[in-house]
Structure formats: structure tokens, C-alpha cells
Amino acid sequence: LVFMSTARHIFTVEETRGLYVELERVADELYTQSRTDPLTGLQNRRALFEVLEHLLARARRNGEELSVVMIDLDNFKSYNDTHGHLAGDNMLRRLAALIRSSIRDQDLAARYGGEEFCLVLPGTDLAGAVSLVEKVRVLYAVPDDSGRRSTLSCGVAQWDGEEDMDHVLQRADSALYRAKDAGRDLVITDRRSNEKVEVANEKAEPMTSEPAQGAITFGSI
């Protein structure tokens, strides 16, 4: 009887331990799902806000640079209406895969909503952010396997070292919409970020020509 009682106790302990392990696994899975966009596999908007707050706090503490990029698929609604929602989903997945293969482990990529994506690039200045997203823009414009060609508009802002999350996101988003207004298929930098780069250049060495006014623009109109 003592042996049977001990055996039942051991079985109950092991069963309870297994239950806790399973509950932890499910909890971890649910947490990941709550922060992941199911269509693209990138982080979702909720995760973006949480991580960006952390990255800004670290950049402020360590005096690091940080840039934010907003990306939007051009004429996405028209593409959906013409080719169907499954084709539109494939466009989103294709862009997500391209972004994922282009960024570093420490960078953050998120689906901001609809056909809009956001990149957070810690330790990256304006020029580095522009270089990265310009490569993404050019590669994405290559026709896909079905021969269809799509383009991107992008806005880039470098964190000014003091502003909060909402302000740097708003500046990148404003640059994005200026790219849209300028004809799409463009990378445009935020004016304030551009001014900061020009000031830094002036401190480093004398300017040999007049600085460009407004945004730095890449791509084709």
C-alpha cells in the first residue's frame, strides 16, 4: 500500500510538472501571437510601440543614433481590385520577406497597418537608413514570378536625440506622404533629419557647395 501510494504521488507530481510546462509553452505561444502579424510574420503595431519605446530609451541613455522608416505599397487598393485579395496578400508577404532578408538582427520590422510597414534601425544614421530602404525599394520593383511589377514609397526620419516615439513616427510618416505626393516610387527623408545631417557635415568640414533645400530624394518620379 505504501508503495502504491508513493507511486501515485510521484505520478501526480510528474503530471503536475508536465502540466505547468505545457501551460508555459501555451502562454509563450499566445504572447508571441499577440505581437506577430499573422499574414507577414513580422511584428505587429503593438510590438512595434513596445520595442520602439525600449530602443529609444537605450539610445537616449547611450547617446546612440536611431532611424525610423515608413514604407507603403503604391496603388495597393487598385492592385487588390484588379488581381484579387490573394494576390494582394502575396504582395505583402513578398515585401515582408525582402525586408526580413535586408535588416540586421537588432533591427525591428513591423506591419504598421494595411499596406504600411515600419522599420526601426538602432545605431543607424539617416544615410544608413536611406541606403538600406533604397535597396529594398529597387529590389521590390523587380517584376515577380507572374510578371507583375509593384513599387514602394518610403519616408525616413532620424531620431533627434530628444523627441518621443510619437514625434519620430509622425516625421517618418509625413516624409512618406510627401513621397506619395511627389509621384510615388521614392525614398524621401524628413526635412528636420536632413537639416541635422547638414549641420553635422558643416561641423565636420566646410561645405563646398550649397546644401540642398528640403528633403533628400531618391528614386524616380
Side-chain angles (χ1 to χ4, degrees), residues 2 7 12 42 46 50 61 64 66-67 73 90 97 105-106 117 142-143 151 164 166 173 187-188 196 206 211 219:
V2 172
T12 301
L42 298 180
R46 172 184 176 182
E50 291 179 3
R61 185 169 59 250
E64 298 173 346
L66 181 144
S67 293
L73 277 76
N90 287 334
D105 290 342
Q106 62 265 40
F117 294 74
V142 175
T151 61
D164 62 19
D166 292 339
D173 205 44
V187 175
I188 286 187
K196 183 174 181 180

Side-chain angles (χ1 to χ4, degrees), residues 74-109:
D74 295 328
N75 302 308
F76 184 70
K77 183 179 184 304
S78 175
Y79 188 96
N80 258 349
D81 292 343
T82 302
H83 302 291
H85 289 284
L86 289 179
D89 288 349
N90 287 334
M91 279 183 66
L92 296 171
R93 292 192 189 97
R94 179 177 169 235
L95 176 55
L98 178 57
I99 289 172
R100 196 179 290 112
S101 67
S102 302
I103 61 175
R104 306 163 301 175
D105 290 342
Q106 62 265 40
D107 298 331
L108 171 67

Side-chain angles (χ1 to χ4, degrees), residues 2-213:
V2 172
F3 172 79
M4 293 178 62
S5 177
T6 302
R8 281 196 300 268
H9 175 72
I10 293 173
F11 177 77
T12 301
V13 169
E14 290 300 319
E15 187 178 51
T16 302
R17 184 180 293 118
L19 180 60
Y20 277 125
V21 170
E22 178 63 15
L23 287 173
E24 287 180 357
R25 185 193 65 78
V26 172
D28 288 343
E29 188 174 300
L30 290 173
Y31 177 75
T32 300
Q33 289 176 2
S34 73
R35 297 165 58 85
T36 304
D37 174 60
L39 178 64
T40 63
L42 298 180
Q43 300 291 290
N44 60 20
R45 190 165 176 155
R46 172 184 176 182
L48 167 68
F49 292 159
E50 291 179 3
V51 177
L52 180 52
E53 285 278 24
H54 170 75
L55 291 176
L56 284 176
R58 188 181 71 182
R60 187 177 291 108
R61 185 169 59 250
N62 299 334
E64 298 173 346
E65 295 171 322
L66 181 144
S67 293
V68 173
V69 180
M70 300 298 291
I71 302 173
D72 191 83
L73 277 76
D74 295 328
N75 302 308
F76 184 70
K77 183 179 184 304
S78 175
Y79 188 96
N80 258 349
D81 292 343
T82 302
H83 302 291
H85 289 284
L86 289 179
D89 288 349
N90 287 334
M91 279 183 66
L92 296 171
R93 292 192 189 97
R94 179 177 169 235
L95 176 55
L98 178 57
I99 289 172
R100 196 179 290 112
S101 67
S102 302
I103 61 175
R104 306 163 301 175
D105 290 342
Q106 62 265 40
D107 298 331
L108 171 67
R111 186 179 178 193
Y112 197 70
E115 67 271 27
E116 197 168 354
F117 294 74
C118 181
L119 308 182
V120 180
L121 310 173
T124 304
D125 63 8
L126 188 71
V130 167
S131 177
L132 183 149
V133 74
E134 176 65 5
K135 291 176 183 176
V136 171
R137 185 193 67 81
V138 170
L139 288 172
Y140 194 74
V142 175
D144 62 17
D145 293 339
S146 63
R148 298 167 185 159
R149 182 179 183 273
S150 306
T151 61
L152 305 173
S153 295
C154 312
V156 186
Q158 181 175 335
W159 179 57
D160 69 1
E162 298 178 356
E163 65 191 326
D164 62 19
M165 175 181 70
D166 292 339
H167 280 88
V168 68
L169 285 172
Q170 190 275 328
R171 289 199 293 116
D173 205 44
S174 293
L176 166 63
Y177 279 94
R178 285 170 46 232
K180 292 282 191 184
D181 292 341
R184 300 185 175 89
D185 193 18
L186 293 169
V187 175
I188 286 187
T189 61
D190 167 70
R191 286 190 178 95
R192 201 161 103 199
S193 298
N194 191 23
E195 290 166 1
K196 183 174 181 180
V197 170
E198 288 167 0
V199 169
N201 288 338
E202 288 173 353
K203 290 179 179 178
E205 57 184 36
M207 297 286 292
T208 57
S209 61
E210 289 298 315
Q213 296 299 313

